[in-house]
Amino acid sequence: SQQGEEDPQALSIQEGENATMNCSYKTSINNLQWYRQNSGRGLVHLILIRSNEREKHSGRLRVTLDTSKKSSSLLITASRAADTASYFCATDPSGGAQKLVFGQGTRLTINP
Amino acid sequence: DAGITQSPRHKVTETGTPVTLRCHQTENHRYMYWYRQDPGHGLRLIHYSYGVKDTDKGEVSDGYSVSRSKTEDFLLTLESATSSQTSVYFCAISEGTQAFFGQGTRLTVV
């Protein structure tokens, strides 16, 4: 079963605009992570937010977490063509990376 | 890629044949994982290992077996490949709370 559900499934924006992706999950978690996947490549870790955090920043990335709604959002500001990729949220109730459960992903396309 | 190598990178095989995919890591990580990625499903955990000869099932383990006789190698075997096992397979290791993935193996069962 899918722990995380991303929304939207696909997003297309102009370079320079902000992109927001959402993730909902079902069970209690210790942390939530976001990963990026470029076409034909493996996943790359972007950012982790713990259950006791509400917001976290890393460069142009901003992640929020609402444990009461079991949801998270990933904001990419000032998007670039190189941000074109699929983005996945992942959760692990145990708090480690022992059994990550991934959502279906959001396909982001940045148009020049 | 955290020293993770998957082999082969591409394979086409016939229904009913056994197939083994290999994941090799160079950094002595304890945890290793096999995921499959299919359109509309994201990544789903097949099996994982928490040490030499210590493995456990994931969400979609039916039709798959694994072995880990050395820390650095984690093998995924399809005992009798079926068309439903056509997928992209990813190996991963974990370091703390973060996972690192290999480049993937594209397997086609015809």
Side-chain angles (χ1 to χ4, degrees):
Chain A
S1 62
Q2 291 293 320
Q3 168 75 314
E5 299 283 342
E6 273 100 342
D7 170 52
Q9 292 188 2
L11 179 62
S12 181
I13 61 174
Q14 296 300 121
E15 194 166 17
E17 295 180 341
N18 296 341
T20 299
M21 290 158 272
N22 303 297
C23 168
S24 61
Y25 57 92
K26 299 175 182 176
T27 65
S28 61
I29 60 171
N30 287 293
N31 65 64
L32 185 145
Q33 305 178 43
W34 286 89
Y35 287 79
R36 183 187 72 228
Q37 184 181 35
N38 291 95
S39 182
R41 306 294 297 273
L43 280 72
V44 175
H45 182 266
L46 292 176
I47 192 167
L48 177 151
I49 186 165
R50 302 190 187 282
S51 60
N52 61 353
E53 298 176 310
R54 292 295 169 259
E55 187 171 309
K56 196 163 184 179
H57 297 255
S58 176
R60 294 185 295 113
L61 304 180
R62 188 191 104 181
V63 171
T64 62
L65 180 64
D66 187 334
T67 54
S68 67
K69 296 181 179 178
K70 291 186 169 59
S71 67
S72 173
S73 67
L74 172 67
L75 169 67
I76 303 174
T77 61
S79 63
R80 306 167 181 170
D83 295 327
T84 293
S86 292
Y87 292 81
F88 296 86
C89 67
T91 58
D92 179 9
S94 72
Q98 278 77 3
K99 293 176 70 174
L100 286 176
V101 180
F102 288 84
Q104 297 176 11
T106 293
R107 175 67 189 172
L108 175 65
T109 302
I110 308 300
N111 302 302
Chain B
D1 296 332
I4 303 168
T5 304
Q6 291 185 231
S7 59
R9 293 292 314 280
H10 301 270
K11 185 172 182 65
V12 179
T13 192
E14 293 186 350
T15 299
T17 61
V19 177
T20 295
L21 309 182
R22 179 181 183 240
C23 178
H24 178 80
Q25 59 141 331
T26 60
E27 300 186 12
N28 208 34
H29 292 287
R30 178 183 175 192
Y31 287 89
M32 298 184 75
Y33 312 81
W34 278 105
Y35 289 87
R36 60 177 288 174
Q37 184 177 29
D38 304 289
H41 289 279
L43 276 81
R44 292 179 292 174
L45 182 65
I46 305 171
H47 281 279
Y48 69 103
S49 170
Y50 45 97
V52 173
K53 298 185 179 179
D54 291 322
T55 65
D56 203 354
K57 296 178 180 180
E59 178 188 358
V60 291
S61 60
D62 288 348
Y64 302 94
S65 63
V66 290
S67 66
R68 191 167 179 202
S69 58
K70 298 184 292 183
T71 299
E72 58 266 34
D73 289 325
F74 192 32
L75 304 180
L76 177 70
T77 297
L78 289 66
E79 302 293 346
S80 179
T82 67
S83 59
S84 65
Q85 294 175 311
T86 291
S87 187
V88 181
Y89 292 85
F90 286 97
C91 175
I93 60 93
S94 66
E95 182 174 303
T97 55
Q98 184 173 334
F100 295 86
F101 287 82
Q103 293 298 304
T105 295
R106 184 172 295 276
L107 177 67
T108 302
V109 184
V110 298

